[in-house]
Amino acid sequence: MQEYEILLNKYSRLGKKVNDLTRIGTLLEALGSPQNELKFIHIAGTNGKGSCAQMLSDALACAGYKTGLFTSPYILKYNDRIRINNEEISDDKLNILARWIEQNAPTSLPFSQFEITQAMAFEHFRREECDIVVLEAGLGGRLDSTNVIDAPLVSIITSISLDHTAILGDTIEQIAEQKAGIIKQGSPVVLAMGIDKDCTEIFSYHANKCGSKLATPDENALKVKSCTAFGSEFEYKGENYSVKMGGFHQIKNALTVIEAAKILTNEGFLLTRKDIDRGLNAQVLGHIQLMNDKPLIILDGGHNPEGIEALTKTLEKIPCKKRAVIGMLSDKDVDKASACISRAADSFICVGGFYPRAMDADELAKKLTLHGANAVASELDACKAVRQEILALSDDEALVICGSLFLASIFADGIIINKALKERDEQNE
């Protein structure tokens, strides 16, 4: 076990409940407040944070800026949460940072693993002298530990829907109030297209209160030329763009990035059209990720109703028989997600056990069946269930692996899928 893993295991996943940012502030102050030496883009929202963060990070790196990127949760391994110009932090550097935290952090406070990780990220970006850091909020906004930073160059709010209701509130207005907490005095804000009117009014109120200019993409200036699971092409304000990741939601994310890029240019970070195009063609692992062409295999980590809806709309445009291997976490809104995804595939194999909070496969199958889906629980683990479906897959069918980012992370590197495809080819020879 690495030193940083030993350190993290001393703390709980969430830490004790917080009512302000005093705890993370105390930690960072003891460590020399590394965040005060950095410039940030701060991103909050229910869905779309990771895509916007990756697009902006790629664009800035293409423009020649040393760009830090902090995301959550990790996809393949812990290190990929902390990256500079897409290069993840090494175990050696994490271990050095862990020893530094052990020597300097207060021992009396119940920090969360997220807070410890965030502190290591800030110090890593400081030591590496990053020009700018793209910072993805973990949960909510107002009380999220990332909100300890001073006013960022730009704040971005990507979308608002019901998720983490036990912590953030059980209405979208309550959740919007939490997300609005990242809006800071004099710092411009970009609000994604299509956010509910009541939520938009909440953000406008807080932006006005903080003297912050609020920008929203102009929906009337958008002309969609094509929108598929394989990417999209669109015209915006008279210019043509393309997005590598599939689904209309990625067009919305792209518009958010385009508007944010204009603000960053005004702040002195010059982004050319080439840089923006590079960013829009980013690929985030587990975000309607095409794993194979023939047979078609799609991997997606959408896990709340809005994310599931985005996947469903994309799958409905694929004119072939679709199989799905699905698993969800028990603390998500499985009822609404099941009602939506049930129409997206011809059959569902439900899996559990892939994560401590994973819903039991039988229970998930019952929920899907209740909404008219052809769903059965698998007695196999997720890896074996996917292998079994790939071996049975014909060239004119599609397989979708979906329902949870933790499930998607198992397959995002392609190793298990490619091994099963090779076995399938040998079987069919």
Side-chain angles (χ1 to χ4, degrees), residues 291 297 381-388 390-391 399 401 407-424:
M291 305 301 295
I297 301 177
D381 64 31
C383 294
K384 291 179 180 177
V386 166
R387 171 185 172 274
Q388 179 176 272
I390 290 175
L391 292 178
L399 174 64
I401 306 165
L407 177 63
S409 68
I410 298 171
F411 304 98
D413 62 5
I415 294 174
I416 294 170
I417 290 173
N418 289 335
K419 183 178 179 181
L421 284 167
K422 183 178 180 181
E423 187 178 351
R424 174 182 173 274

Side-chain angles (χ1 to χ4, degrees), residues 65-137:
Y65 298 106
K66 195 168 190 179
T67 307
L69 178 62
F70 180 74
T71 59
S72 65
Y74 67 84
I75 305 297
L76 297 179
K77 58 180 180 177
Y78 180 84
N79 312 56
D80 65 39
R81 301 182 62 171
I82 304 171
R83 284 172 278 160
I84 296 177
N85 290 1
N86 269 333
E87 182 178 344
E88 62 188 32
I89 190 171
S90 67
D91 284 340
D92 286 343
K93 287 183 177 179
L94 280 171
N95 289 334
I96 291 170
L97 290 167
R99 290 196 292 272
W100 170 74
I101 285 182
E102 284 271 43
Q103 293 165 4
N104 296 286
T107 58
S108 58
L109 294 175
F111 301 116
S112 67
Q113 292 178 353
F114 186 88
E115 288 167 331
I116 295 296
T117 300
Q118 181 186 322
M120 288 195 289
F122 284 173
E123 179 64 11
H124 177 58
F125 298 145
R126 186 196 68 79
R127 292 183 183 186
E128 296 295 327
E129 299 181 338
C130 284
D131 298 311
I132 191 168
V133 173
V134 182
L135 180 65
E136 180 186 338

